[in-house]
Amino acid sequence: MAQAKKKAKSVTQLLIEDGVVTQEQLLEALEQKSKTGKSLARTLIEMEVVSESKLTEVLAQHLGLEFADLNTYRVDLTAVALLDEKMASHHVAIPVSFEDDVLIVAMADPTNIFALDDIRMTTGHQIKPVVATKGDIEEAIRSYYRDTGGGAVEGVDDMEGEELDDTELAQAIGVAVDDAPMVRFVNFVINEAVTGGASDIHFDPQEKEILIRYRVDGVLHDIKSLPIRALGALTSRVKIMSDLNIAEKRIPQDGHYEKSVGVKQIDFRVAVLPTVFGEKIVMRILDKSSIMLRLNDLGYDGYTLERYEAAFRRPNGAILVTGPTGSGKSTTLYATLNVLNDETKNITTVEDPVEYRLPGINQIQVNPKAGLTFSSALRSILRTSPDIIMVGEIRDFETAQIAVESALTGHLVFSTLHTNDAPGAISRLTEMGIEPFLTASGIVCVLGQRLGRRLCTCRQPYTPEEEMLQRIGFPREDDEALVIYRPNPNGCARCGGTGYKGRIALTEVMLMTPEIEGLTISEASASEIMKVAIEQGMRTMRMDGWDKVMTGVTSIEEVLRVVI
């Protein structure tokens, strides 16, 4: 009893020494504790004097153990797979990584020797406990052990024996034989990718292994690998989940399925492609939950936002967003619709696929097999008296013509186009067969866009070489030494060691002025239009990138990587 009191006093003393709790707050908490009968720790948390995370961190320090913040910790799913959900929940503990052959286990109570012995015997590994909050561990258990694959689980066990039996597969991925290893492994991969902010999951068969890679912030990262013998079980599992033909291995296949991860409803677009080493699988992750996007968060601010807003606040006209696949064009249009959306407007979109659900907006997903294409949907939309129309992508002459003509007949039309820059959109429409005079009259604004990675908060300041700045055309306003930022080569837990966290748009906004209208009608080249647009105030994507480098948002290397 005396020892327990001494330990409690030591923890509170640490809280006071760290400046987390004052003497007055401690006395007040002790008084409240005597009334409620609750522990001092719980009383401090309920009084909002200290967070559960901070209190747990101090407890870890007191015990001489490491504190693990599971919100930023990079969890190794092969470690998680060593312990089943029932035992993890019972002990409020979850394996999170390896240190050589020692298993790192996050625990709410690392002094529980019975739990440590139980986990050691079950996993067959020596255990190193780290301390985490009970809430974080419970949330991690819900996230990593959630299996909402539905009926897809049924029948998979029979197929797993085709190329790699359950015992061998279990040894390869480190899970128990009787727990449907491939089913669990695929679910772990999916949950880790979604919670880690990945946009794609790649299963790449090589000569001797299957590489598992996630695309995070537009860049692929190797995560782990499986023996090539597991490919049959892996492809069978994913194909059943996506309602694809498991017997067909010679031709590409496309499918999709939905899964709940936490509170999010995720749609997975699945592509299977035959290669020389077997079938490659790519799963594109689309968050279908309703989200509120803001143009400022995407990178539109100041002068650029002012020019763009002058265009989309007009009652009619066509606004195009250009860039390659994955450059955030649709996301920019969603953010714009969020600004314009109110009860006085009838807004309708036609998309492929519907990536985000926007409240108060009519969203249509194309279905070519049923005859619902962009052009046919657009014709039908015009009969519903819309104020604002968004066409996911202009792919052909018919869609382009209806979109431009709709802009000329009093509608505000938004769409995307695959070109390298904003001026290139004018030439592209002409190549598709749109009369130049219609383009000049209907288009009011064209945006060019790329997505660059944001620097993480662990960024490092440095002074670049003057010769390098001159070579890349970096603008200088004075002769003083320039201090900008670059990624931390070691990164941190928040960015997973990459030095970058999140993405930001590098943009250019070209308004359709009388001079550019004239160049459009005379079918001038994109370079001629670009020259005039810059003279009239357009800041190119490269210029916008340099501005974001100066403010520490991104790095010179990242701008050079994404902008031509």
Side-chain angles (χ1 to χ4, degrees), residues 426 436 440-441 512-524 529 532:
I426 305 300
S441 304
M512 188 63 79
T513 62
E515 291 78 10
I516 294 178
E517 286 182 14
L519 291 172
T520 301
I521 293 172
S522 64
E523 300 187 28
I529 296 174
V532 173

Side-chain angles (χ1 to χ4, degrees), residues 102-148:
V102 177
L103 184 64
I104 311 300
V105 180
M107 305 180 69
D109 180 10
T111 64
N112 186 340
I113 59 174
F114 299 105
L116 289 168
D117 287 342
D118 212 359
I119 296 170
R120 185 184 299 111
M121 291 178 64
T122 301
T123 62
H125 286 267
Q126 290 299 312
I127 305 300
K128 176 184 175 181
V130 296
V131 185
T133 67
K134 181 181 178 182
D136 284 352
I137 293 174
E138 290 174 342
E139 178 59 34
I141 291 172
R142 284 193 295 270
S143 173
Y144 286 101
Y145 289 104
R146 182 184 298 274
D147 180 5
T148 54

Side-chain angles (χ1 to χ4, degrees), residues 1-11 62-63 111:
M1 187 73 178
Q3 186 178 0
K5 286 182 178 178
K6 182 179 179 182
K7 183 175 288 187
K9 182 180 179 181
S10 300
V11 174
H62 176 62
L63 295 173
T111 64

Side-chain angles (χ1 to χ4, degrees), residues 226-240:
L226 283 179
I228 190 64
R229 294 175 297 161
L231 186 61
L234 175 64
T235 54
S236 294
R237 170 60 178 158
V238 175
K239 283 181 178 180
I240 288 178

Side-chain angles (χ1 to χ4, degrees), residues 108-229:
D109 180 10
T111 64
N112 186 340
I113 59 174
F114 299 105
L116 289 168
D117 287 342
D118 212 359
I119 296 170
R120 185 184 299 111
M121 291 178 64
T122 301
T123 62
H125 286 267
Q126 290 299 312
I127 305 300
K128 176 184 175 181
V130 296
V131 185
T133 67
K134 181 181 178 182
D136 284 352
I137 293 174
E138 290 174 342
E139 178 59 34
I141 291 172
R142 284 193 295 270
S143 173
Y144 286 101
Y145 289 104
R146 182 184 298 274
D147 180 5
T148 54
V153 176
E154 299 173 8
V156 171
D157 290 341
D158 294 335
M159 296 168 199
E160 289 174 359
E162 291 179 6
E163 296 182 39
L164 187 67
D165 65 39
D166 276 354
T167 303
E168 292 175 311
L169 183 58
Q171 292 172 349
I173 63 177
V175 296
V177 176
D178 59 354
D179 283 334
M182 187 53 74
V183 176
R184 293 184 62 204
F185 183 75
V186 171
N187 281 317
F188 286 142
V189 168
I190 288 171
N191 286 333
E192 185 185 52
V194 172
T195 54
S199 60
D200 304 286
I201 304 170
H202 290 244
F203 298 99
D204 290 339
Q206 305 297 310
E207 186 175 2
K208 296 181 180 179
E209 62 182 353
I210 308 165
L211 291 180
I212 301 172
R213 305 196 289 173
Y214 300 161
R215 188 183 296 279
V216 180
D217 294 334
V219 177
L220 280 171
H221 300 275
D222 288 351
I223 304 301
K224 52 185 55 68
S225 65
L226 283 179
I228 190 64
R229 294 175 297 161

